[in-house]
Amino acid sequence: QALKPSSFTALVASQQSEGAMKTAVLLVAVLAAFYRADAIAVKQFLDAKKEAAEERTRSDAFFVDTFAKQEAELIQLQQLAEPVGTAVPALGGSSSLLPALAMLKGLYEDGKDRISTLNKKEEESKKLFEGKQKAHDTKISTIEAKLQAKKLSQEFHDSEIHDENRMWSYWSRVRERQHRQYLSALKIQHGTMTKVSKMIDLYEKTIAGDKSEDLQEQFQSVMASMHGGGASGGHLVLIQSKAVECCKDELSALRKERQQFEIDEA
């Protein structure tokens, strides 16, 4: 039975309406998937940034504590080099030098422990960064593979590469900061321990009664390195002269690191 013109028109309109509805539903689904993917990418970026910031905060706290302890050590060395009076203690079995010698030995042992702690922290930071590097490289490779397989448009590819590199830049800066702080702390500690070791040797020789001219020259040499210049006046000049510039290089390095903290936070 032939359809009336009005019925045919209605059928065509119905089919067109159904087709339009399916198209609309498909378009909504595509848009929903796009915005969902975009929302996931934004969340991943924010999570990565937060994780990097938390790692930086933990690392900064560690080095702030380390630098504070190193400064305390340097202050102790300054105090040992400050004037203790006009009279020079007699050589040989000088009991007045024993407490200072014990303090120096304690500082040296603390320095060894700190170097061990610094190396352990650096190794942990390095391994964490290597893990992030591997994940980053894998993500980049995956994005490139999708583009080659035509599962990703060039526009989406460029966007994902940009977002991934942006996330990676945060971790790179955190790692650079950690490594710089590690090298600074290590240099300061080695410099301090070198001075402490020389002082221990000279104190022990003085207490043992060494009266040689060679010992006097050693005192002069150590004094020059501690105070930034020559020294004069007796066998125990190390603890008889002013200590204004004692350990000046290490203290200067500490100040620079603290200034860097302030610059980075600005």
Side-chain angles (χ1 to χ4, degrees):
Q1 185 176 358
L3 291 174
K4 295 180 179 180
S6 59
S7 298
F8 178 77
T9 301
L11 178 62
V12 170
S14 175
Q15 291 177 339
Q16 288 177 338
S17 177
E18 183 179 352
M21 181 63 70
K22 289 181 179 179
T23 300
V25 170
L26 179 61
L27 180 60
V28 169
V30 171
L31 290 173
F34 171 78
Y35 285 114
R36 184 166 54 251
D38 190 54
I40 292 174
V42 170
K43 184 178 185 304
Q44 289 176 338
F45 170 74
L46 293 176
D47 288 345
K49 184 178 179 180
K50 180 182 177 182
E51 185 182 4
E54 289 174 346
E55 174 63 16
R56 169 176 160 163
T57 297
R58 286 191 295 269
S59 180
D60 281 357
F62 171 82
F63 283 106
V64 165
D65 180 66
T66 297
F67 291 140
K69 290 176 179 177
Q70 289 180 321
E71 184 177 29
E73 287 182 349
L74 292 168
I75 290 174
Q76 282 185 292
L77 286 179
Q78 283 183 321
Q79 291 172 344
L80 285 177
E82 286 174 352
V84 295
T86 56
V88 178
L91 295 176
S94 178
S95 59
S96 65
L97 298 181
L98 291 175
L101 178 60
M103 181 185 294
L104 287 169
K105 290 183 175 180
L107 288 176
Y108 192 82
E109 290 302 315
D110 289 344
K112 290 197 297 184
D113 291 340
R114 185 162 299 112
I115 287 176
S116 176
T117 300
L118 284 169
N119 288 336
K120 181 179 179 181
K121 178 66 175 177
E122 171 68 4
E123 188 62 27
E124 291 174 352
S125 299
K126 183 179 177 181
K127 286 183 178 180
L128 176 64
F129 182 75
E130 287 174 348
K132 297 298 179 182
Q133 175 82 65
K134 184 177 181 180
H136 169 68
D137 292 343
T138 299
K139 183 68 176 291
I140 293 294
S141 297
T142 299
I143 295 172
E144 295 294 349
K146 286 182 178 180
L147 178 66
Q148 293 299 322
K150 300 187 183 303
K151 294 181 179 179
L152 198 65
S153 68
Q154 186 66 50
E155 182 180 359
F156 276 95
H157 164 274
D158 295 345
S159 177
E160 289 192 18
I161 289 291
H162 174 269
D163 290 341
E164 176 60 26
N165 285 332
R166 188 181 175 194
M167 285 189 288
W168 177 242
S169 69
Y170 283 102
W171 278 108
S172 297
R173 289 196 294 271
V174 169
R175 178 59 188 143
E176 288 171 4
R177 181 183 179 89
Q178 289 174 329
H179 190 59
R180 187 198 73 231
Q181 292 168 335
Y182 163 72
L183 293 177
S184 294
L186 196 64
K187 182 178 179 180
I188 290 168
Q189 197 62 56
H190 278 302
T192 301
M193 289 180 67
T194 296
K195 289 180 171 60
V196 171
S197 178
K198 290 178 179 179
M199 291 175 71
I200 288 174
D201 181 59
L202 298 178
Y203 268 69
E204 287 179 336
K205 289 180 178 179
T206 300
I207 292 172
D210 189 340
K211 301 181 182 181
S212 66
E213 292 183 3
D214 181 60
L215 180 59
Q216 291 187 26
E217 292 177 359
Q218 290 181 51
F219 267 118
Q220 298 285 348
S221 176
V222 171
M223 190 61 189
S225 68
M226 294 285 284
H227 295 243
S232 61
H235 218 51
L236 290 177
V237 66
L238 180 64
I239 57 173
Q240 290 297 105
S241 299
K242 65 181 181 179
V244 175
E245 296 184 56
C246 177
C247 308
K248 65 174 185 177
D249 292 339
E250 289 76 17
L251 288 170
S252 176
L254 281 171
R255 286 193 293 270
K256 287 181 180 178
E257 278 301 324
R258 287 179 174 173
Q259 289 173 355
Q260 191 62 48
F261 273 114
E262 295 174 359
I263 292 173
D264 290 341
E265 291 297 334

